[in-house]
Amino acid sequence: QKVTVEVLDHLEHLALVDFRDAEGVERLQKAIQFADQLRDVNTDGVEPMDSVLEDRCLYLRDDDVTEGNCTNELLKNAREKVEEYFVAPPGNIPLPKLEERETILQSS
Amino acid sequence: AALKRRVRFQVSAALKEGHVTPTELCQRCLSLIKSTKFLNAYITVAEETALKQAEESEKRYRRGHPLGVLDGIPIAVKDNFNTAGIETTCASNMLKGYISPYNATAVQKLLDQGAVLLGKTNLDEFAMGSGSTDGVFGPVRNPWSYSRQYKEKFVPKSHSQDEKSNWVITGGSSGGSAAAVSSFTCFAALGSDTGGSTRNPAAHCGVVGLKPTYGLISRHGLIPLVNSMDVPGILTRCVDDAAVVLGSLAGHDPKDSTTIQDDFKPFELPNVADVSKLSIGIPKVTFKSCQQLWTGTAADLFKNAGAKVIEVSLPHTCYSIVCYHVLCTAEVASNMARFDGLEYGHRSDMNKSTESMYAATRREGFNDVVRGRILSGNYFLLKQNYENYFIKAQKVRRLIANDFVKVFRSGVDILLTPTTLCDAVPYMEFIKEDNRTRSAQDDILTQAANMAGLPAINVPTALSERGLPIGLQFIGRSFQEKQLLTVAKWFEKQVKFPMIQLEEVKRHDHDAFQHQKSASFS
């Protein structure tokens, strides 16, 4: 079954990455088809595995500050900054809706 | 014979005895990098810093206090490891111009041992791919394309084809590192391995490629692809060298909570090994591999030495590619979310809103492959799909890992498989299929080891009918690198893989060594 335009639009919002062209959409369709092969495997009673190290304890370290004070270093790689802040465009504006966005999905 | 062709171990001896100085060695490697530029193995060559490091090393040798066996040894690092003060791009527009503020732990450890960092090597963008063809700096060329061995066997399919346009790929995604080691421009290189990215190019370039057990070497500073499978990989020209580099890298890192806390004891490999007490398992495969013949030959070698060789079954390994496809894209979707243009990397001029800036930045910064995986990953992670795809894949992962546990528990010590299905294909042929198809085909023999977190190594075995390298893969038990490498070294000695005959290197050595006394190192 084909992925609906609503889902594609939703994915573009979540990923903040666009499909770019029909090939991008086709790529997703193929990826889903490929992944569907998992259905053939019987996993009854099998627990999901997060990590191969699951039998070991995750450990904590002491809550001591051992490094830091590298503000200048970290700011060096940012394009837009003011004093010690990274500068972002206004944040409370949602991504334009499908109809208003430049996206291949409009033609679907 | 040429100094550079010697394995690192022997070069260390040469450095210690003063037959060659670190700066001479460094200069020769830098010069060779320049004359092999057409391979496109390096993205950044850190000439100034390398020479400085070499000078420091030289001072230490003069004082008689080298830091260790790696002091003064030129190395290269895949461009997805952070290197302080040196651009780290991951072969992507997203990180062009990004100068790392710190060294990845693996890099720091090598530098602490006095290794000389020559530069950053080329890869597939963000390590996604199996050809080292999909990065923004262009594809890497396999040095064997220019070898006498390949040229001798080359039969053009049409009169318009010539050797020059028929160069073959390195495999990937650590192709730059593999090519760098293979063409003698460095003695060891760091790669990364998530689905076979160190072993695959090692096989195609005729070098040793080690994927350590997950949790043995710190991933701190290695730009992540799949956090639960990534490991730093080691590429060298012989198994002994890999053991030495492993010795410098392995061990707990407080900055990487996925490194185990057990003490790691660096080891030296025995020159003579008794394989008669070993049980070698060869997994049943359902697909055809050009390397099948060599697995058989290898099996005979072991049998003749008294080892037990049996066929084993890993019934769920055939699903590892599909499983990987889902888990990888899901983790990628998460890991790539950090690239938004705000703190580092490329930033779009679009500034209407945060979201539109992020979207435009990511549109401009990522290539098709990366974007495709992010979108697929997000699809599998949607609420309506989470159980059927992501959780399902995690369950299949356990089945795959359990297959290995069962086999090792039944008394098998080491598994033996080909590393790749066939020898390196010409670039023009490789690009006819898309990245996902290629990765699915090329990772088929290597991916399962990442799924289960097991150590695995490619050992160059023989040349194919086309005069190109073929490698065999050994897979060992978790954290049993010593046994794995002991077997690999034994095998390496049996097969005596031929040295690459490269004109560039020959010419180079001749000029450099005209006035050099020839010393014999054995």
Side-chain angles (χ1 to χ4, degrees):
Chain A
Q1 78 266 52
K2 282 219 153 207
V3 183
T4 63
V5 176
E6 285 75 38
V7 171
L8 294 173
D9 180 37
H10 185 47
L11 287 175
E12 282 197 342
H13 267 89
L14 283 175
L16 285 181
V17 151
D18 67 320
F19 283 95
R20 191 75 50 100
D21 49 31
E23 205 192 315
V25 178
E26 183 59 31
R27 199 177 290 129
L28 176 68
Q29 289 287 162
K30 284 198 191 132
I32 299 169
Q33 228 178 329
F34 190 64
D36 283 337
Q37 292 173 75
L38 284 176
R39 291 208 193 129
D40 300 337
V41 192
N42 182 350
T43 51
D44 292 340
V46 182
E47 284 299 300
M49 178 183 243
D50 291 313
S51 165
V52 295
L53 300 175
E54 60 185 6
D55 291 335
R56 293 171 185 260
C57 282
L58 194 61
Y59 46 86
L60 300 175
R61 65 180 176 94
D62 292 330
D63 190 14
D64 290 328
V65 175
T66 52
E67 48 180 15
N69 291 320
C70 49
T71 317
N72 287 329
E73 290 266 21
L74 296 178
L75 287 172
K76 267 194 202 145
N77 281 303
R79 216 189 85 169
E80 310 277 337
K81 52 206 169 196
V82 166
E83 292 183 14
E84 294 190 347
Y85 293 88
F86 295 111
V87 180
N92 53 353
I93 302 170
L95 205 63
K97 285 208 184 69
L98 185 59
E99 309 83 64
E100 295 145 33
R101 233 163 57 233
E102 226 185 272
T103 167
I104 186 68
L105 300 178
Q106 279 175 358
S107 49
S108 340
Chain B
L3 188 65
K4 260 190 305 303
R5 292 159 196 243
R6 295 298 166 184
V7 294
R8 182 227 30 81
F9 214 55
Q10 295 159 328
V11 165
S12 291
L15 285 169
K16 226 176 171 182
E17 284 154 40
H19 294 296
V20 68
T21 68
T23 39
E24 276 170 353
L25 199 54
C26 181
Q27 273 158 350
R28 282 181 208 161
C29 286
L30 288 171
S31 164
L32 187 58
I33 291 175
K34 286 197 183 96
S35 51
T36 54
K37 212 161 179 212
F38 55 91
L39 294 177
N40 202 20
Y42 288 82
I43 293 176
T44 303
V45 180
E47 194 163 331
E48 264 183 55
T49 53
L51 286 167
K52 270 202 205 107
Q53 287 163 6
E55 273 167 34
E56 293 299 310
S57 173
E58 197 158 313
K59 287 187 197 149
R60 291 190 290 265
Y61 273 104
R62 269 196 237 124
R63 286 200 301 265
H65 296 306
L67 291 167
V69 157
L70 284 175
D71 206 333
I73 301 294
I75 57 158
V77 168
K78 186 175 181 181
D79 209 14
N80 59 351
F81 282 86
N82 276 285
T83 43
I86 299 173
E87 194 178 0
T88 299
T89 66
C90 291
S92 175
N93 280 320
M94 191 58 93
L95 287 178
K96 255 196 194 158
Y98 166 69
I99 311 282
S100 312
Y102 71 108
N103 280 320
T105 298
V107 174
Q108 190 62 54
K109 284 188 165 184
L110 290 174
L111 293 175
D112 287 343
Q113 290 293 307
V116 172
L117 176 57
L118 295 173
K120 309 298 289 299
T121 57
N122 204 350
L123 59 154
D124 282 302
E125 185 163 334
F126 280 111
M128 300 186 200
S130 59
S132 303
T133 51
D134 282 329
V136 293
F137 298 102
V140 185
R141 298 184 182 205
N142 192 329
W144 284 84
S145 315
Y146 304 94
S147 68
R148 185 165 59 76
Q149 290 105 326
Y150 178 64
K151 287 183 190 174
E152 272 173 1
K153 296 280 174 85
F154 180 72
V155 177
K157 293 205 181 93
S158 67
H159 67 110
S160 60
Q161 252 189 358
D162 59 39
E163 302 154 6
K164 295 212 177 81
S165 65
N166 209 51
W167 55 271
V168 299
I169 58 164
T170 50
S173 60
S174 312
S177 284
V181 173
S182 172
S183 59
F184 304 98
T185 59
C186 63
F187 286 81
L190 280 184
S192 66
D193 197 310
T194 307
S197 291
T198 288
R199 293 159 286 156
N200 176 294
H204 288 318
C205 293
V207 298
V208 170
L210 171 64
K211 174 212 166 295
T213 311
Y214 181 85
L216 188 61
I217 300 184
S218 173
R219 290 180 301 109
H220 175 72
L222 165 61
I223 294 170
L225 183 61
V226 183
N227 300 72
S228 69
M229 295 184 213
D230 289 350
V231 293
I234 297 169
L235 293 133
T236 55
R237 287 197 284 279
C238 70
V239 178
D240 270 330
D241 288 357
V244 171
V245 178
L246 179 69
S248 311
L249 295 180
H252 175 57
D253 179 16
K255 292 184 184 171
D256 177 359
S257 65
T258 60
T259 52
I260 58 162
Q261 289 188 293
D262 301 1
D263 269 328
F264 175 79
K265 292 194 193 72
F267 50 81
E268 251 184 58
L269 300 172
N271 279 323
V272 177
D274 176 16
V275 299
S276 63
K277 302 202 176 57
L278 285 179
S279 171
I280 312 282
I282 299 185
K284 266 185 272 211
V285 287
T286 53
F287 42 78
K288 269 208 197 128
S289 157
C290 312
Q291 291 16 337
Q292 224 53 39
L293 177 68
W294 289 106
T295 320
T297 309
D300 288 339
L301 272 171
F302 280 103
K303 274 188 216 151
N304 292 337
K308 186 168 136 198
V309 178
I310 57 171
E311 195 182 57
V312 296
S313 172
L314 296 166
H316 299 94
T317 308
C318 57
Y319 295 107
S320 83
I321 291 295
V322 186
C323 186
Y324 177 62
H325 167 69
V326 174
L327 294 180
C328 173
T329 50
E331 293 213 34
V332 160
S334 168
N335 281 322
M336 295 295 128
R338 72 192 67 192
F339 298 106
D340 55 22
L342 219 44
E343 296 127 312
Y344 44 73
H346 173 70
R347 176 174 175 147
S348 170
D349 290 330
M350 159 67 73
N351 63 356
K352 287 211 188 93
S353 69
T354 330
E355 283 204 15
S356 62
M357 187 278 274
Y358 291 171
T361 295
R362 293 156 71 80
R363 173 175 232 269
E364 293 159 22
F366 292 138
N367 74 0
D368 285 352
V369 177
V370 178
R371 278 188 300 110
R373 291 201 195 186
I374 293 172
L375 289 163
S376 302
N378 274 295
Y379 179 82
F380 299 132
L381 292 172
L382 288 176
K383 245 184 273 184
Q384 67 256 40
N385 295 329
Y386 196 76
E387 189 70 39
N388 293 328
Y389 290 96
F390 185 67
I391 299 290
K392 180 78 181 183
Q394 287 192 311
K395 291 179 180 176
V396 175
R397 181 175 186 177
R398 182 178 297 285
L399 290 174
I400 294 169
N402 283 346
D403 280 352
F404 284 100
V405 170
K406 284 191 199 124
V407 162
F408 285 127
R409 219 172 258 165
S410 75
V412 169
D413 299 301
I414 301 273
L415 295 169
L416 168 64
T417 79
T419 308
T420 55
L421 289 178
C422 280
D423 54 3
V425 300
Y427 175 70
M428 298 310 289
E429 221 181 278
F430 185 79
I431 53 175
K432 286 187 190 153
E433 301 267 16
D434 71 84
N435 187 289
R436 188 180 54 76
T437 310
R438 279 296 178 193
S439 299
Q441 293 165 348
D442 301 334
D443 289 346
I444 208 162
L445 291 154
T446 51
Q447 213 298 306
N450 298 86
M451 207 51 90
L454 300 169
I457 186 169
N458 170 76
V459 181
T461 304
L463 294 185
S464 69
E465 280 170 5
R466 287 163 65 218
L468 295 172
I470 288 173
L472 289 184
Q473 174 183 235
F474 294 92
I475 304 173
R477 291 200 179 97
S478 275
F479 302 107
Q480 301 304 311
E481 270 79 354
K482 184 168 183 189
Q483 182 181 56
L484 178 69
L485 290 173
T486 300
V487 175
K489 178 174 171 174
W490 179 88
F491 184 71
E492 176 187 62
K493 276 192 155 176
Q494 306 302 309
V495 297
K496 298 195 189 60
F497 183 75
M499 199 184 301
I500 184 176
Q501 312 277 353
L502 270 181
E503 258 178 51
E504 274 69 23
V505 178
K506 269 210 204 110
R507 213 183 300 135
H508 213 261
D509 289 342
H510 185 258
D511 294 340
F513 288 94
Q514 255 173 342
H515 55 279
Q516 180 98 351
K517 255 196 292 194
S518 83
S520 65
F521 317 105
S522 53

